[in-house]
PDB file of all heavy atoms in Angstrom:
ATOM      1  N   TYR A 181      75.469 223.638 184.633  1.00 98.00           N
ATOM      2  CA  TYR A 181      76.104 222.313 184.486  1.00 98.00           C
ATOM      3  C   TYR A 181      75.288 221.247 185.191  1.00 98.00           C
ATOM      4  O   TYR A 181      74.624 221.528 186.197  1.00 98.00           O
ATOM      5  CB  TYR A 181      77.526 222.324 185.085  1.00 98.00           C
ATOM      6  CG  TYR A 181      78.483 223.136 184.241  1.00 98.00           C
ATOM      7  CD1 TYR A 181      78.555 224.510 184.384  1.00 98.00           C
ATOM      8  CD2 TYR A 181      79.280 222.515 183.284  1.00 98.00           C
ATOM      9  CE1 TYR A 181      79.400 225.272 183.586  1.00 98.00           C
ATOM     10  CE2 TYR A 181      80.138 223.260 182.488  1.00 98.00           C
ATOM     11  CZ  TYR A 181      80.194 224.637 182.643  1.00 98.00           C
ATOM     12  OH  TYR A 181      81.024 225.378 181.853  1.00 98.00           O
ATOM     13  N   GLN A 182      75.357 220.039 184.658  1.00 97.00           N
ATOM     14  CA  GLN A 182      74.786 218.911 185.385  1.00 97.00           C
ATOM     15  C   GLN A 182      75.846 217.834 185.533  1.00 97.00           C
ATOM     16  O   GLN A 182      77.034 218.180 185.582  1.00 97.00           O
ATOM     17  CB  GLN A 182      73.486 218.445 184.758  1.00 97.00           C
ATOM     18  CG  GLN A 182      73.481 218.234 183.250  1.00 97.00           C
ATOM     19  CD  GLN A 182      72.143 217.689 182.812  1.00 97.00           C
ATOM     20  OE1 GLN A 182      71.858 216.536 183.074  1.00 97.00           O
ATOM     21  NE2 GLN A 182      71.334 218.510 182.163  1.00 97.00           N
ATOM     22  N   LEU A 183      75.462 216.562 185.661  1.00 96.00           N
ATOM     23  CA  LEU A 183      76.461 215.536 186.006  1.00 96.00           C
ATOM     24  C   LEU A 183      77.526 215.391 184.921  1.00 96.00           C
ATOM     25  O   LEU A 183      78.711 215.381 185.190  1.00 96.00           O
ATOM     26  CB  LEU A 183      75.738 214.206 186.251  1.00 96.00           C
ATOM     27  CG  LEU A 183      76.563 213.047 186.811  1.00 96.00           C
ATOM     28  CD1 LEU A 183      75.661 212.105 187.601  1.00 96.00           C
ATOM     29  CD2 LEU A 183      77.265 212.272 185.731  1.00 96.00           C
ATOM     30  N   ASP A 184      77.066 215.297 183.668  1.00 93.00           N
ATOM     31  CA  ASP A 184      78.028 214.967 182.622  1.00 93.00           C
ATOM     32  C   ASP A 184      78.238 216.073 181.598  1.00 93.00           C
ATOM     33  O   ASP A 184      78.549 215.795 180.447  1.00 93.00           O
ATOM     34  CB  ASP A 184      77.670 213.643 181.938  1.00 93.00           C
ATOM     35  CG  ASP A 184      76.172 213.467 181.774  1.00 93.00           C
ATOM     36  OD1 ASP A 184      75.443 214.461 181.966  1.00 93.00           O
ATOM     37  OD2 ASP A 184      75.735 212.364 181.453  1.00 93.00           O
ATOM     38  N   GLY A 185      78.074 217.310 182.026  1.00 94.00           N
ATOM     39  CA  GLY A 185      78.425 218.405 181.127  1.00 94.00           C
ATOM     40  C   GLY A 185      77.502 219.604 181.253  1.00 94.00           C
ATOM     41  O   GLY A 185      76.639 219.650 182.137  1.00 94.00           O
ATOM     42  N   PRO A 186      77.689 220.569 180.337  1.00 97.00           N
ATOM     43  CA  PRO A 186      76.855 221.775 180.381  1.00 97.00           C
ATOM     44  C   PRO A 186      75.395 221.438 180.101  1.00 97.00           C
ATOM     45  O   PRO A 186      75.094 220.664 179.181  1.00 97.00           O
ATOM     46  CB  PRO A 186      77.431 222.647 179.266  1.00 97.00           C
ATOM     47  CG  PRO A 186      78.804 222.121 179.006  1.00 97.00           C
ATOM     48  CD  PRO A 186      78.757 220.658 179.324  1.00 97.00           C
ATOM     49  N   THR A 187      74.529 222.001 180.883  1.00 96.00           N
ATOM     50  CA  THR A 187      73.085 221.772 180.719  1.00 96.00           C
ATOM     51  C   THR A 187      72.657 222.115 179.290  1.00 96.00           C
ATOM     52  O   THR A 187      71.839 221.412 178.702  1.00 96.00           O
ATOM     53  CB  THR A 187      72.335 222.635 181.751  1.00 96.00           C
ATOM     54  OG1 THR A 187      72.850 222.296 183.045  1.00 96.00           O
ATOM     55  CG2 THR A 187      70.853 222.360 181.754  1.00 96.00           C
ATOM     56  N   ALA A 188      73.254 223.161 178.730  1.00 95.00           N
ATOM     57  CA  ALA A 188      72.863 223.612 177.382  1.00 95.00           C
ATOM     58  C   ALA A 188      73.185 222.564 176.323  1.00 95.00           C
ATOM     59  O   ALA A 188      72.527 222.503 175.285  1.00 95.00           O
ATOM     60  CB  ALA A 188      73.559 224.923 177.054  1.00 95.00           C
ATOM     61  N   ASP A 189      74.211 221.714 176.567  1.00 96.00           N
ATOM     62  CA  ASP A 189      74.565 220.683 175.583  1.00 96.00           C
ATOM     63  C   ASP A 189      73.693 219.447 175.731  1.00 96.00           C
ATOM     64  O   ASP A 189      73.598 218.644 174.800  1.00 96.00           O
ATOM     65  CB  ASP A 189      76.030 220.233 175.774  1.00 96.00           C
ATOM     66  CG  ASP A 189      77.004 221.331 175.410  1.00 96.00           C
ATOM     67  OD1 ASP A 189      76.560 222.356 174.844  1.00 96.00           O
ATOM     68  OD2 ASP A 189      78.202 221.175 175.721  1.00 96.00           O
ATOM     69  N   ILE A 190      73.142 219.243 176.902  1.00 96.00           N
ATOM     70  CA  ILE A 190      72.432 217.988 177.177  1.00 96.00           C
ATOM     71  C   ILE A 190      70.937 218.140 176.881  1.00 96.00           C
ATOM     72  O   ILE A 190      70.364 217.360 176.126  1.00 96.00           O
ATOM     73  CB  ILE A 190      72.718 217.526 178.620  1.00 96.00           C
ATOM     74  CG1 ILE A 190      74.212 217.172 178.710  1.00 96.00           C
ATOM     75  CG2 ILE A 190      71.857 216.318 178.997  1.00 96.00           C
ATOM     76  CD1 ILE A 190      74.765 217.110 180.077  1.00 96.00           C
ATOM     77  N   LEU A 191      70.322 219.158 177.454  1.00 96.00           N
ATOM     78  CA  LEU A 191      68.909 219.433 177.154  1.00 96.00           C
ATOM     79  C   LEU A 191      68.681 220.926 177.428  1.00 96.00           C
ATOM     80  O   LEU A 191      68.351 221.301 178.553  1.00 96.00           O
ATOM     81  CB  LEU A 191      67.998 218.570 178.032  1.00 96.00           C
ATOM     82  CG  LEU A 191      66.555 218.387 177.567  1.00 96.00           C
ATOM     83  CD1 LEU A 191      66.476 217.755 176.181  1.00 96.00           C
ATOM     84  CD2 LEU A 191      65.788 217.523 178.561  1.00 96.00           C
ATOM     85  N   PRO A 192      68.907 221.769 176.417  1.00 94.00           N
ATOM     86  CA  PRO A 192      68.835 223.210 176.667  1.00 94.00           C
ATOM     87  C   PRO A 192      67.428 223.650 177.073  1.00 94.00           C
ATOM     88  O   PRO A 192      66.451 223.143 176.535  1.00 94.00           O
ATOM     89  CB  PRO A 192      69.222 223.840 175.331  1.00 94.00           C
ATOM     90  CG  PRO A 192      69.410 222.737 174.367  1.00 94.00           C
ATOM     91  CD  PRO A 192      69.226 221.427 175.035  1.00 94.00           C
ATOM     92  N   HIS A 193      67.374 224.575 178.011  1.00 92.00           N
ATOM     93  CA  HIS A 193      66.083 225.050 178.514  1.00 92.00           C
ATOM     94  C   HIS A 193      65.725 226.439 178.010  1.00 92.00           C
ATOM     95  O   HIS A 193      64.723 226.982 178.443  1.00 92.00           O
ATOM     96  CB  HIS A 193      66.109 225.105 180.049  1.00 92.00           C
ATOM     97  CG  HIS A 193      65.900 223.773 180.674  1.00 92.00           C
ATOM     98  ND1 HIS A 193      64.663 223.177 180.802  1.00 92.00           N
ATOM     99  CD2 HIS A 193      66.778 222.884 181.191  1.00 92.00           C
ATOM    100  CE1 HIS A 193      64.779 222.002 181.375  1.00 92.00           C
ATOM    101  NE2 HIS A 193      66.053 221.793 181.617  1.00 92.00           N
ATOM    102  N   SER A 194      66.527 227.024 177.174  1.00 89.00           N
ATOM    103  CA  SER A 194      66.430 228.458 176.899  1.00 89.00           C
ATOM    104  C   SER A 194      66.359 229.161 178.251  1.00 89.00           C
ATOM    105  O   SER A 194      67.275 229.018 179.039  1.00 89.00           O
ATOM    106  CB  SER A 194      65.268 228.808 175.962  1.00 89.00           C
ATOM    107  OG  SER A 194      64.029 228.456 176.532  1.00 89.00           O
ATOM    108  N   SER A 195      65.274 229.821 178.577  1.00 96.00           N
ATOM    109  CA  SER A 195      65.235 230.523 179.855  1.00 96.00           C
ATOM    110  C   SER A 195      64.354 229.782 180.858  1.00 96.00           C
ATOM    111  O   SER A 195      63.141 229.662 180.667  1.00 96.00           O
ATOM    112  CB  SER A 195      64.685 231.931 179.647  1.00 96.00           C
ATOM    113  OG  SER A 195      64.332 232.485 180.899  1.00 96.00           O
ATOM    114  N   LEU A 196      64.982 229.308 181.955  1.00 98.00           N
ATOM    115  CA  LEU A 196      64.195 228.647 183.002  1.00 98.00           C
ATOM    116  C   LEU A 196      63.248 229.639 183.669  1.00 98.00           C
ATOM    117  O   LEU A 196      62.131 229.286 184.059  1.00 98.00           O
ATOM    118  CB  LEU A 196      65.131 228.023 184.047  1.00 98.00           C
ATOM    119  CG  LEU A 196      65.796 226.720 183.598  1.00 98.00           C
ATOM    120  CD1 LEU A 196      66.988 226.385 184.473  1.00 98.00           C
ATOM    121  CD2 LEU A 196      64.786 225.576 183.603  1.00 98.00           C
ATOM    122  N   ALA A 197      63.686 230.897 183.769  1.00 98.00           N
ATOM    123  CA  ALA A 197      62.822 231.918 184.383  1.00 98.00           C
ATOM    124  C   ALA A 197      61.574 232.138 183.532  1.00 98.00           C
ATOM    125  O   ALA A 197      60.455 232.216 184.056  1.00 98.00           O
ATOM    126  CB  ALA A 197      63.593 233.222 184.555  1.00 98.00           C
ATOM    127  N   ALA A 198      61.752 232.205 182.214  1.00 98.00           N
ATOM    128  CA  ALA A 198      60.595 232.414 181.330  1.00 98.00           C
ATOM    129  C   ALA A 198      59.635 231.235 181.431  1.00 98.00           C
ATOM    130  O   ALA A 198      58.407 231.406 181.426  1.00 98.00           O
ATOM    131  CB  ALA A 198      61.057 232.612 179.897  1.00 98.00           C
ATOM    132  N   LYS A 199      60.201 230.031 181.561  1.00 98.00           N
ATOM    133  CA  LYS A 199      59.344 228.844 181.678  1.00 98.00           C
ATOM    134  C   LYS A 199      58.540 228.880 182.987  1.00 98.00           C
ATOM    135  O   LYS A 199      57.335 228.615 182.997  1.00 98.00           O
ATOM    136  CB  LYS A 199      60.177 227.569 181.654  1.00 98.00           C
ATOM    137  CG  LYS A 199      60.588 227.155 180.260  1.00 98.00           C
ATOM    138  CD  LYS A 199      61.249 225.778 180.289  1.00 98.00           C
ATOM    139  CE  LYS A 199      61.622 225.378 178.874  1.00 98.00           C
ATOM    140  NZ  LYS A 199      62.486 224.215 178.808  1.00 98.00           N
ATOM    141  N   ALA A 200      59.229 229.184 184.075  1.00 98.00           N
ATOM    142  CA  ALA A 200      58.534 229.218 185.375  1.00 98.00           C
ATOM    143  C   ALA A 200      57.438 230.280 185.351  1.00 98.00           C
ATOM    144  O   ALA A 200      56.323 230.059 185.853  1.00 98.00           O
ATOM    145  CB  ALA A 200      59.541 229.496 186.491  1.00 98.00           C
TER     146      ALA A 200
END
Side-chain angles (χ1 to χ4, degrees):
Y181 289 83
Q182 48 176 288
L183 188 153
D184 38 13
T187 304
D189 292 350
I190 294 162
L191 199 59
H193 280 281
S194 62
S195 165
L196 283 163
K199 280 188 179 169

